Amino acid sequence: MERRLLVGFSLVVVVAAVAVGPLGVAGESTRSTTDNASVTVESIPDGSLTLERGRFGSGRYHIDAPPAVVSVSGVTGTPVLRYTIDVPGVWLTATSRYEIAGRDGRLQLRPSPVTVSPDRVDRRQYEAIVAVWVQSGERDRAVLQRRVTLEVAS
């Protein structure tokens, strides 16, 4: 009986660790309430992320993505939203910050303009992580983290 209990407990621990890992169930939440704001992610760019080649002869790539849409309410103090698109395969992270003090309603979050050298781009697709965070004082809380595919435009 003791062995069955130990095996059952171990199985629960493993399943829980996978479910709430960095991009498990906890990463799929689309709502976060802090002491200073309630933030709900309405949409993120899921299948429409691309690395586009720059124009005018630069050859550098940049992220092309529609905006993420969030709703904020109950805002007090000076919380900040942070929107990131991270592409580890090419060492590229686009981060935008939005101060939401005194705001309520819908916001469109756009990735900051960053570029990457064509020397680093050697595949047709990369895994990217799209995330929305709310920072209140010293605390940084993930509202949403999701793995998506980023296509390289020809």
Side-chain angles (χ1 to χ4, degrees), residues 49-51 63 87 124-128 148-152:
L49 282 174
T50 57
L51 269 181
I63 294 176
V87 190
R124 304 290 300 142
Q125 290 183 341
Y126 289 92
E127 183 176 275
V148 298
T149 300
L150 179 127
E151 301 283 337
V152 176

Side-chain angles (χ1 to χ4, degrees), residues 12-126:
V12 168
V13 169
V14 168
V15 169
V18 169
V20 296
L23 296 171
V25 173
E28 291 297 319
S29 172
T30 61
R31 182 174 179 80
S32 179
T33 302
T34 67
D35 296 340
N36 296 63
S38 179
V39 178
T40 303
V41 177
E42 294 181 13
S43 67
I44 62 163
D46 261 344
S48 51
L49 282 174
T50 57
L51 269 181
E52 295 277 341
R53 205 162 249 243
R55 298 183 203 146
F56 311 114
S58 74
R60 297 184 65 80
Y61 285 90
H62 66 276
I63 294 176
D64 185 29
V69 178
V70 300
S71 291
V72 296
S73 61
V75 179
T76 62
T78 57
V80 173
L81 286 181
R82 191 174 45 155
Y83 174 52
T84 62
I85 299 175
D86 185 34
V87 190
V90 292
W91 296 74
L92 179 67
T93 302
T95 301
S96 298
R97 297 173 47 89
Y98 297 85
E99 294 183 13
I100 57 173
R103 295 178 129 178
D104 275 342
R106 294 177 79 201
L107 299 171
Q108 291 190 358
L109 312 179
R110 298 186 185 280
S112 63
V114 293
T115 63
V116 64
S117 168
D119 297 341
R120 290 192 182 160
V121 179
D122 59 1
R123 299 192 320 228
R124 304 290 300 142
Q125 290 183 341
Y126 289 92

